[in-house]
Amino acid sequence: MRYSYIIPIIVFFLTITSCTKKNKDEIQPTKGTITESVYASGVVKSENQYTVYPTVNGVLQKINVVVGQSITQGQSLFQIESDKASLNTENARLAYQLSQEGNRFIQDKIAEMETKVQAAKDKLALDESVYKRNKNIKQYNVISEVDYEKVELAYKNSKSNYEAAVKQLGQLKSQLNNDQSRSNVNLRLNEKSQSDFNIKSAFSGELYDVLVKEGTLVTPQTPLAVIGKKNSYLLELDVDENDMVHVQLGQTMEVTMDSYKGKVFEATVDKIYPIMDVRSRTFKIEAHFTTPPAKLYPNLTAEANIIIQIKKNVLTIPKSYLVDKEFVLVGKDEKRKVKIGLSDYQNVEILQGLQATENIYKPK
């Protein structure tokens, strides 16, 4: 008797379960809002964030800063061992001083040569005057041919001597300028080379990280530190090449971060880098938070949906009810072609082929 009551109850329960399952797989389209968006992912960065690299090889002798410290533009960050560079600079300074002494000798020669040039110029003027007078009276046979030729030769010699003196003066001045420039440039180059061993900050900000230790051998490929603008952050995101054509400046995006689970923040696209990374096949964009989170740190991961367009009061169905991206089941085995519009991660807009009062079935 006891089992005869149990069996009908089990059958009834299975019937209810079957009906419930059937009802879950059978729905009607709904009216609602659908948002088309583009996915992007990336990290939070400080404004003007950059990695500090040395420009010379050497042993890191001293670290002058600590992580979290505020940095001013031009502040010394690291000191690389520079004994050899110091010796080279001192040698260049001595050479410069010697050249200055040598230049004083050349300046004396220039002064002497300027006197010679003036004397040659005065003699040329005198001989030219004599030559012209004799040339005018030669036609009257007042002067013999021999005397006239002597006067003409004296004029020509004076002219040649003057031109040679002017040329020699120019060469001395050019030599002086070249010697001064050469020694001065050599000294400045060595001073600049020595200054490269003292690594300074390019601008004011905050020191986020020091990536090396004292005593490390560094090269121009060795990252030393990360610096950025204090309390000012942006989003640096990657967008797939297939979606990039939809992204424009000024578009709004919804941002989520692992650090703030369950919260959505709004940001705006304000910079697009117009070149694709051939390795990742993505484009880089930058965005700023409209209302930033209370606390942010460089390199926090972030995901964003860039809103392309929003449509309200449209007919939608869940994406899972589409068959081959263009059909729906109006009967368990009856397919109907529909025209779809926008879609998001869950729903798709139905433009034609289905009414709001019709039932559709979820494909098995």
Side-chain angles (χ1 to χ4, degrees), residues 89-104 179-180 183-184 187:
T89 302
E90 185 60 27
N91 186 46
R93 186 172 288 109
L94 290 172
Y96 177 75
Q97 292 172 354
L98 288 172
S99 70
Q100 292 298 98
E101 294 177 4
N103 290 339
R104 280 193 288 271
D179 289 347
Q180 286 179 331
S183 57
N184 186 38
L187 177 59

Side-chain angles (χ1 to χ4, degrees), residues 22-83:
K22 176 182 177 182
N23 290 338
K24 284 184 177 178
D25 291 342
E26 183 181 349
I27 64 168
Q28 288 184 337
T30 58
K31 290 277 187 175
T33 299
I34 192 165
T35 301
E36 183 182 16
S37 62
V38 164
Y39 175 78
S41 63
V43 295
V44 174
K45 278 198 167 185
S46 169
E47 292 271 6
N48 300 325
Q49 180 176 325
Y50 80 105
T51 303
V52 180
Y53 288 89
T55 57
V56 293
N57 299 318
V59 176
L60 187 63
Q61 196 172 48
K62 188 178 180 183
I63 300 174
N64 300 323
V65 287
V66 294
V67 173
Q69 178 180 339
S70 293
I71 303 296
T72 57
Q73 185 176 8
Q75 181 176 343
S76 176
L77 305 175
F78 303 93
Q79 184 67 45
I80 297 175
E81 190 176 18
S82 59
D83 293 344

Side-chain angles (χ1 to χ4, degrees), residues 227-268:
I227 297 177
K229 192 174 180 180
K230 190 173 183 179
N231 297 325
S232 183
Y233 299 92
L234 57 85
L235 288 161
E236 188 177 278
L237 305 169
D238 294 324
V239 179
D240 188 87
E241 63 172 319
N242 296 318
D243 299 323
M244 193 60 210
V245 293
H246 303 295
V247 180
Q248 297 178 10
L249 293 175
Q251 288 175 328
T252 301
M253 63 174 68
E254 295 178 344
V255 182
T256 58
M257 293 186 290
D258 290 340
S259 303
Y260 290 91
K261 292 188 182 296
K263 293 186 178 181
V264 178
F265 302 93
E266 188 177 287
T268 303

